[in-house]
PDB file of all heavy atoms in Angstrom:
ATOM      1  N   ALA M 155      21.386  22.943   1.577  1.00 93.00           N
ATOM      2  CA  ALA M 155      22.587  23.240   2.366  1.00 93.00           C
ATOM      3  C   ALA M 155      23.451  24.285   1.663  1.00 93.00           C
ATOM      4  O   ALA M 155      24.021  25.182   2.301  1.00 93.00           O
ATOM      5  CB  ALA M 155      23.385  21.961   2.602  1.00 93.00           C
ATOM      6  N   ALA M 156      23.555  24.173   0.318  1.00 92.00           N
ATOM      7  CA  ALA M 156      24.366  25.131  -0.444  1.00 92.00           C
ATOM      8  C   ALA M 156      23.789  26.533  -0.351  1.00 92.00           C
ATOM      9  O   ALA M 156      24.543  27.513  -0.204  1.00 92.00           O
ATOM     10  CB  ALA M 156      24.459  24.689  -1.901  1.00 92.00           C
ATOM     11  N   ARG M 157      22.464  26.658  -0.434  1.00 93.00           N
ATOM     12  CA  ARG M 157      21.862  27.994  -0.315  1.00 93.00           C
ATOM     13  C   ARG M 157      22.119  28.594   1.062  1.00 93.00           C
ATOM     14  O   ARG M 157      22.378  29.794   1.192  1.00 93.00           O
ATOM     15  CB  ARG M 157      20.356  27.887  -0.600  1.00 93.00           C
ATOM     16  CG  ARG M 157      20.024  27.701  -2.072  1.00 93.00           C
ATOM     17  CD  ARG M 157      18.552  27.957  -2.343  1.00 93.00           C
ATOM     18  NE  ARG M 157      17.701  26.960  -1.710  1.00 93.00           N
ATOM     19  CZ  ARG M 157      17.313  25.828  -2.295  1.00 93.00           C
ATOM     20  NH1 ARG M 157      17.735  25.545  -3.531  1.00 93.00           N
ATOM     21  NH2 ARG M 157      16.522  24.984  -1.672  1.00 93.00           N
ATOM     22  N   ARG M 158      22.081  27.743   2.081  1.00 93.00           N
ATOM     23  CA  ARG M 158      22.325  28.225   3.445  1.00 93.00           C
ATOM     24  C   ARG M 158      23.768  28.706   3.585  1.00 93.00           C
ATOM     25  O   ARG M 158      24.024  29.780   4.169  1.00 93.00           O
ATOM     26  CB  ARG M 158      22.023  27.102   4.442  1.00 93.00           C
ATOM     27  CG  ARG M 158      22.064  27.553   5.890  1.00 93.00           C
ATOM     28  CD  ARG M 158      21.448  26.517   6.809  1.00 93.00           C
ATOM     29  NE  ARG M 158      22.062  25.213   6.664  1.00 93.00           N
ATOM     30  CZ  ARG M 158      21.445  24.133   6.164  1.00 93.00           C
ATOM     31  NH1 ARG M 158      20.198  24.202   5.770  1.00 93.00           N
ATOM     32  NH2 ARG M 158      22.076  22.974   6.065  1.00 93.00           N
ATOM     33  N   ILE M 159      24.702  27.951   3.038  1.00 93.00           N
ATOM     34  CA  ILE M 159      26.116  28.336   3.106  1.00 93.00           C
ATOM     35  C   ILE M 159      26.362  29.609   2.304  1.00 93.00           C
ATOM     36  O   ILE M 159      27.107  30.507   2.721  1.00 93.00           O
ATOM     37  CB  ILE M 159      27.001  27.188   2.593  1.00 93.00           C
ATOM     38  CG1 ILE M 159      26.939  26.002   3.571  1.00 93.00           C
ATOM     39  CG2 ILE M 159      28.441  27.652   2.387  1.00 93.00           C
ATOM     40  CD1 ILE M 159      27.593  24.746   3.044  1.00 93.00           C
ATOM     41  N   ALA M 160      25.714  29.700   1.126  1.00 93.00           N
ATOM     42  CA  ALA M 160      25.897  30.884   0.280  1.00 93.00           C
ATOM     43  C   ALA M 160      25.441  32.141   0.998  1.00 93.00           C
ATOM     44  O   ALA M 160      26.115  33.187   0.947  1.00 93.00           O
ATOM     45  CB  ALA M 160      25.136  30.703  -1.034  1.00 93.00           C
ATOM     46  N   ARG M 161      24.295  32.052   1.684  1.00 93.00           N
ATOM     47  CA  ARG M 161      23.817  33.224   2.430  1.00 93.00           C
ATOM     48  C   ARG M 161      24.743  33.552   3.605  1.00 93.00           C
ATOM     49  O   ARG M 161      25.036  34.715   3.881  1.00 93.00           O
ATOM     50  CB  ARG M 161      22.396  32.958   2.930  1.00 93.00           C
ATOM     51  CG  ARG M 161      21.335  32.993   1.850  1.00 93.00           C
ATOM     52  CD  ARG M 161      19.933  33.056   2.457  1.00 93.00           C
ATOM     53  NE  ARG M 161      19.660  31.915   3.336  1.00 93.00           N
ATOM     54  CZ  ARG M 161      19.108  30.780   2.928  1.00 93.00           C
ATOM     55  NH1 ARG M 161      18.771  30.626   1.644  1.00 93.00           N
ATOM     56  NH2 ARG M 161      18.877  29.803   3.782  1.00 93.00           N
ATOM     57  N   ARG M 162      25.199  32.530   4.279  1.00 93.00           N
ATOM     58  CA  ARG M 162      26.029  32.733   5.475  1.00 93.00           C
ATOM     59  C   ARG M 162      27.394  33.318   5.132  1.00 93.00           C
ATOM     60  O   ARG M 162      27.895  34.225   5.807  1.00 93.00           O
ATOM     61  CB  ARG M 162      26.206  31.405   6.207  1.00 93.00           C
ATOM     62  CG  ARG M 162      26.951  31.499   7.537  1.00 93.00           C
ATOM     63  CD  ARG M 162      27.346  30.110   8.005  1.00 93.00           C
ATOM     64  NE  ARG M 162      28.341  29.503   7.115  1.00 93.00           N
ATOM     65  CZ  ARG M 162      28.617  28.196   7.104  1.00 93.00           C
ATOM     66  NH1 ARG M 162      27.978  27.349   7.912  1.00 93.00           N
ATOM     67  NH2 ARG M 162      29.532  27.729   6.263  1.00 93.00           N
ATOM     68  N   ASP M 163      27.998  32.786   4.049  1.00 93.00           N
ATOM     69  CA  ASP M 163      29.385  33.167   3.737  1.00 93.00           C
ATOM     70  C   ASP M 163      29.489  34.162   2.581  1.00 93.00           C
ATOM     71  O   ASP M 163      30.606  34.545   2.191  1.00 93.00           O
ATOM     72  CB  ASP M 163      30.193  31.913   3.388  1.00 93.00           C
ATOM     73  CG  ASP M 163      30.271  30.942   4.568  1.00 93.00           C
ATOM     74  OD1 ASP M 163      30.000  31.378   5.708  1.00 93.00           O
ATOM     75  OD2 ASP M 163      30.585  29.763   4.336  1.00 93.00           O
ATOM     76  N   GLY M 164      28.353  34.556   2.020  1.00 93.00           N
ATOM     77  CA  GLY M 164      28.395  35.510   0.918  1.00 93.00           C
ATOM     78  C   GLY M 164      29.007  34.939  -0.342  1.00 93.00           C
ATOM     79  O   GLY M 164      29.664  35.667  -1.106  1.00 93.00           O
ATOM     80  N   LEU M 165      28.827  33.631  -0.583  1.00 91.00           N
ATOM     81  CA  LEU M 165      29.387  32.971  -1.754  1.00 91.00           C
ATOM     82  C   LEU M 165      28.340  32.856  -2.859  1.00 91.00           C
ATOM     83  O   LEU M 165      27.136  32.822  -2.584  1.00 91.00           O
ATOM     84  CB  LEU M 165      29.870  31.561  -1.393  1.00 91.00           C
ATOM     85  CG  LEU M 165      30.989  31.441  -0.363  1.00 91.00           C
ATOM     86  CD1 LEU M 165      31.212  29.964  -0.029  1.00 91.00           C
ATOM     87  CD2 LEU M 165      32.256  32.071  -0.894  1.00 91.00           C
ATOM     88  N   PRO M 166      28.768  32.733  -4.120  1.00 91.00           N
ATOM     89  CA  PRO M 166      27.837  32.365  -5.182  1.00 91.00           C
ATOM     90  C   PRO M 166      27.246  30.970  -4.865  1.00 91.00           C
ATOM     91  O   PRO M 166      27.967  30.091  -4.357  1.00 91.00           O
ATOM     92  CB  PRO M 166      28.690  32.334  -6.448  1.00 91.00           C
ATOM     93  CG  PRO M 166      29.879  33.177  -6.111  1.00 91.00           C
ATOM     94  CD  PRO M 166      30.127  32.975  -4.640  1.00 91.00           C
ATOM     95  N   GLU M 167      25.980  30.788  -5.152  1.00 90.00           N
ATOM     96  CA  GLU M 167      25.323  29.533  -4.777  1.00 90.00           C
ATOM     97  C   GLU M 167      25.967  28.334  -5.456  1.00 90.00           C
ATOM     98  O   GLU M 167      26.095  27.263  -4.850  1.00 90.00           O
ATOM     99  CB  GLU M 167      23.836  29.604  -5.113  1.00 90.00           C
ATOM    100  CG  GLU M 167      23.022  28.461  -4.498  1.00 90.00           C
ATOM    101  CD  GLU M 167      21.530  28.678  -4.632  1.00 90.00           C
ATOM    102  OE1 GLU M 167      21.064  29.790  -4.277  1.00 90.00           O
ATOM    103  OE2 GLU M 167      20.836  27.752  -5.079  1.00 90.00           O
ATOM    104  N   LEU M 168      26.389  28.465  -6.718  1.00 89.00           N
ATOM    105  CA  LEU M 168      27.011  27.337  -7.416  1.00 89.00           C
ATOM    106  C   LEU M 168      28.330  26.954  -6.757  1.00 89.00           C
ATOM    107  O   LEU M 168      28.663  25.768  -6.647  1.00 89.00           O
ATOM    108  CB  LEU M 168      27.226  27.683  -8.885  1.00 89.00           C
ATOM    109  CG  LEU M 168      25.966  27.793  -9.744  1.00 89.00           C
ATOM    110  CD1 LEU M 168      26.333  28.167 -11.183  1.00 89.00           C
ATOM    111  CD2 LEU M 168      25.203  26.467  -9.731  1.00 89.00           C
TER     112      LEU M 168
END
Side-chain angles (χ1 to χ4, degrees):
R157 285 195 294 269
R158 188 167 55 247
I159 292 171
R161 287 194 301 269
R162 185 193 67 197
D163 297 343
L165 298 174
E167 192 170 310
L168 290 179

